[in-house]
Amino acid sequence: MNSLSRLLKESWTLVEEQQDKLASYFYARIFLAHPQVRDLFPVQMDVQRARLLGAIVTAVQTLEDPERLDEYLRGLGRDHRKFHTTPEQYDVVRGALMDALRAFAGDQWSPEYDQAWRDAYDVIARKMIQGAEEDAANPPYWHAEVLTHERRSRDIAVFTCRPLQPMEYRAGQYVSIECKYQPRLWRTYSMANAPSKDGVLEFHVRALGAGWVSSALVRRVKPGDMIRLAAPMGSMTLDRRSTRDVVCVAGGTGLAPIKSLVEELTRYNRTRWVHVFFGANDRADLYDLNVLNQLAARHPWLSVVPACSDDPGWTGEQGNISDVVARYGPWEDHDFFVSGSAAMVRSTLRTLAELQVPSIRVKYDAFGDG
């Protein structure tokens, strides 16, 4: 670990247990100094509070992986064009961040810590501004019309939309979505289809307890509604140069990017076996299993293994999806794609490490709607 990373991680431990208060202070400093910035954020800040700060901390903790950091930050910069962010506003955020860290670390804060965070933030801002500038030919966000909306279970919906302007993305990526029912609240969702000539995008959404955006997308959005989409992000994409067989592990609506990847493979794959493991609590949550089975029936190289963790009457595989994956294999020579809740992804990554799958062959997305 280099000295910058050591100083950042060491200093973060001084404030880590006070993250919520630190986030409140951080935003208060921004809004007091620049009241006009307040209009960029939702009226209710309790869901939003940790997001900007969380993105900064994630970036800081990724400094030891320059390639991953560069991709993450440039994508984040493109995404932030939806807020019409200016380079000057990065200075505002830096000042608020430094004030908050000093206030909550107290006497233990040192000039070395201060300089380390300034240096790290400058790297973050520079990369994000670069990403935004590189994306200048695209709109800051896309207006899209909802075409179809189908409830697949009590709390899951599948809907399609078409952006009014062409939007380029890769299978496995995601976008931030905003709808009129929760203005200024943006949440990330993966496209569930590979790019198509008609420009239609498919999304799978589960309404979660406090997930205001997800609830609106499941229960209120209807055909004809307009939504907004920010720039595509994410690196859980296929490497066409790889000849290794593929294993996809999906939990719940984490199926969306997995389905997108499989759909892309149907267009050119002839030599790679592809195994999809699809896990849910009960059979009602295996909401897109019929579509997967139809794909498998058309493509001999594709196999689908559904599993339920809490459905006694289910006759297929039972248990957590990570445990189900472990019953098959061996997997040491495969490329892995993992998508689902943070807990599901953590569990699967632990299992793959125990099965001696090299981490360099594992791509993953963990998500949730606050």
Side-chain angles (χ1 to χ4, degrees), residues 26-27 29-31 33-41 52 56 77 80-98 121-122 124-126 128-129 132:
F26 168 72
Y27 281 108
R29 298 296 296 181
I30 293 175
F31 298 154
H34 297 268
Q36 71 278 12
V37 175
R38 181 66 181 87
D39 291 339
L40 298 175
F41 294 88
L52 177 55
I56 293 169
H80 272 62
R81 292 185 65 225
K82 67 179 183 267
F83 296 126
H84 303 287
T85 307
T86 65
E88 295 74 28
Q89 287 167 343
Y90 284 92
D91 294 335
V92 174
V93 171
R94 181 206 287 110
L97 173 66
M98 299 310 300
Y121 184 86
D122 286 347
I124 292 167
R126 189 167 63 249
M128 288 182 66
I129 291 168

Side-chain angles (χ1 to χ4, degrees), residues 258-269:
I258 298 301
K259 183 170 173 249
S260 176
L261 293 168
V262 170
E263 194 175 298
E264 181 176 318
L265 282 162
T266 65
R267 296 174 181 176
Y268 69 86
N269 181 48

Side-chain angles (χ1 to χ4, degrees), residues 16-73:
E16 193 168 15
E17 292 184 3
Q18 304 177 80
Q19 281 185 67
D20 288 345
K21 291 179 181 177
L22 187 143
S24 298
Y25 186 93
F26 168 72
Y27 281 108
R29 298 296 296 181
I30 293 175
F31 298 154
L32 280 170
H34 297 268
Q36 71 278 12
V37 175
R38 181 66 181 87
D39 291 339
L40 298 175
F41 294 88
V43 175
Q44 298 291 337
M45 283 293 293
D46 51 347
V47 177
Q48 173 67 35
R49 189 163 288 131
R51 287 182 179 266
L52 177 55
L53 186 63
I56 293 169
V57 172
T58 298
V60 163
Q61 293 174 341
T62 317
L63 283 171
E64 293 172 69
D65 187 345
E67 189 175 329
R68 185 174 154 222
L69 177 70
D70 186 70
E71 190 171 10
Y72 172 74
L73 291 176

Side-chain angles (χ1 to χ4, degrees), residues 78-139:
R78 288 192 294 274
D79 174 77
H80 272 62
R81 292 185 65 225
K82 67 179 183 267
F83 296 126
H84 303 287
T85 307
T86 65
E88 295 74 28
Q89 287 167 343
Y90 284 92
D91 294 335
V92 174
V93 171
R94 181 206 287 110
L97 173 66
M98 299 310 300
D99 285 348
L101 290 168
R102 291 182 198 120
F104 283 87
D107 294 341
Q108 296 181 75
W109 195 252
S110 71
E112 291 80 12
Y113 292 156
D114 210 83
Q115 190 62 52
W117 279 87
R118 284 177 177 279
D119 290 347
Y121 184 86
D122 286 347
V123 171
I124 292 167
R126 189 167 63 249
K127 297 283 188 187
M128 288 182 66
I129 291 168
Q130 182 183 353
E133 289 173 347
E134 290 169 350
D135 198 51
N138 286 318

